[in-house]
Amino acid sequence: MTGFPDRGRASSRRRGRGPSALADGAPVDRALGPARRTSKGGAVGAVASQGMQALASFTIQVLVARTLGFDGLGAFAILYGTMQIVSAITGGFVGDAYTVLDRHDRRIRSALEQFAIAIPVVVALAGAGVFLAIGLTDVPETIAVFLAMTLFSLEELVRRMLMASIVFWRVVAVDAIAFAVALAVVAGIWWWSTPSLLGFVAAVAAGQLVGGVIGVLFLPAGERRVVPFVLGGHREVFRYGFWRASQQVLRPAMLTAIRVIVTITASLAAVGMIEAARTYVAPVTLVVSGLGSFLFVHFAHDHDSTLFGKLRSADRAVLALVALIAVVGAAMLLVLPWLGPLLFGEPLDVVAVLGWIAFSTSIAAVAPYGALASVAGRQSAVFAIRAADTGLAVILAGVLLVVGGDPAYVPAVIAIAPILGGIVVRNLLLVPLARRERREAETAVEPDAAAEPEAAAEAGSDG
């Protein structure tokens, strides 16, 4: 009977780690304990945090549309979309690496700190410079955009740190504070001067600055620790963070590219029309993103379930998200005839709204699988698949616009590609990994089972 304890421990270790957990060589941080800490309350908090972000983004863009018109909303959407790109790069590269890698290792933590400073500044400087060069912004607006991009990225990083510590409701508080400050700045600008693009960008920057500072204060004491810059750790962070950042940036980059294409082929007003419809549906999309963020943290901390068990959880999450979008989307369509003009000052295009609902559904079909595959160490493969479906979406939208199609159909057209990507990630990445894990687990158990009769015979002969 001596084989049972050893076999139990070996089997437990295999289930906890899984054969694919370190497929790309990424060490996993186990300091936060088992997945039970990511409770249902955490899921609700994750959705609430994205809901607060959705409310803030929704309100600011509604105010832009009401005061600057669809032309102003089109310009703001391009700038705000770029802020999201820089934020996605920082959040994916540093934030996700912070969640998955061993952030308590001195070298890893130092590398994370260095990347957290360098990436937002360099990328934001490049983005602001492009806007100035093409004439979309003047010098004061360019300075405000640079600050907003940098602060947006740093605040997002603080949010990721709070999520990694499983304190999602503190993230909600941070987002609420940032939202309140942004609204206060907008109100102050309205009181003292005329609403402008510069004023709205400055309001976003101010909100992110205050939210980031409060977020740092909300971090558990151990997570606020700063280590001196040392060499080493950069390779591990880069190997994981590069692919996650590349993956995270795909969707906002796709949306920005499509906005630019619509501007070239149609007008800024057409961008504003599509953006108004996207803003109307944005709360649904960001709920999907919130659950995706929760699932990423949950899968990263779940060292007890097998990959098949996690895959079943991802399947259930997809079904629940699609059902949620169907119900909420139907309700939003019912109130669209009066709520659209009330919010934006003029009717919204029903086709565009339907298209964005379809796009949210397609995101729900890929987000849980992408999170699971990335935690399982296949982040580079996930990026390749997501890059392919993103490229397909841009091509489809470009073809539609070049042949003279109505821009209102763009959201529905780009919804096709993510669904295909989700199918590929599940069936070609996760299912084979889960089957391999099961085979290796069975192989590990069989030798132990064969050794038990021999051990019993030896014990009998000793007696």
Side-chain angles (χ1 to χ4, degrees), residues 260-297:
V260 172
I261 294 173
V262 173
T263 302
I264 295 173
T265 58
S267 64
L268 274 176
V271 176
M273 178 272 295
I274 296 175
E275 192 64 22
R278 190 198 66 81
T279 302
Y280 182 77
V281 181
V284 178
T285 308
L286 285 177
V287 166
V288 174
S289 299
L291 282 175
S293 298
F294 168 77
L295 287 172
F296 180 78
V297 175

Side-chain angles (χ1 to χ4, degrees), residues 84 88-89 91-93 96 160 243-253:
Q84 292 175 319
I89 293 173
F93 197 113
D96 287 353
R160 299 293 186 100
W243 295 112
R244 283 298 293 173
S246 301
Q247 181 183 338
Q248 293 290 321
V249 79
L250 288 175
R251 192 192 310 165

Side-chain angles (χ1 to χ4, degrees), residues 284 320-331 357 361:
V284 178
L321 286 172
V322 170
L324 175 65
I325 293 171
V327 173
V328 177
I357 293 174
T361 305

Side-chain angles (χ1 to χ4, degrees), residues 253-263 271 393-394 397 401 410 414:
M254 176 194 68
L255 295 176
T256 299
I258 289 173
R259 291 175 186 127
V260 172
I261 294 173
V262 173
T263 302
V271 176
V394 173
L401 295 169
V410 166
I414 65 175

Side-chain angles (χ1 to χ4, degrees), residues 39 103 111 128-129 134 153 155 168 206 267 281 287 291 308 334:
S39 62
R103 60 182 178 270
I134 65 177
S153 300
E155 195 265 357
F168 289 95
S267 64
V281 181
V287 166
L291 282 175
F308 261 120
L334 286 175

Side-chain angles (χ1 to χ4, degrees), residues 289-314:
S289 299
L291 282 175
S293 298
F294 168 77
L295 287 172
F296 180 78
V297 175
H298 173 73
F299 290 145
H301 287 64
D302 185 357
H303 307 305
D304 299 318
S305 301
T306 63
L307 192 54
F308 261 120
K310 295 178 183 179
L311 183 55
R312 285 193 293 269
S313 297

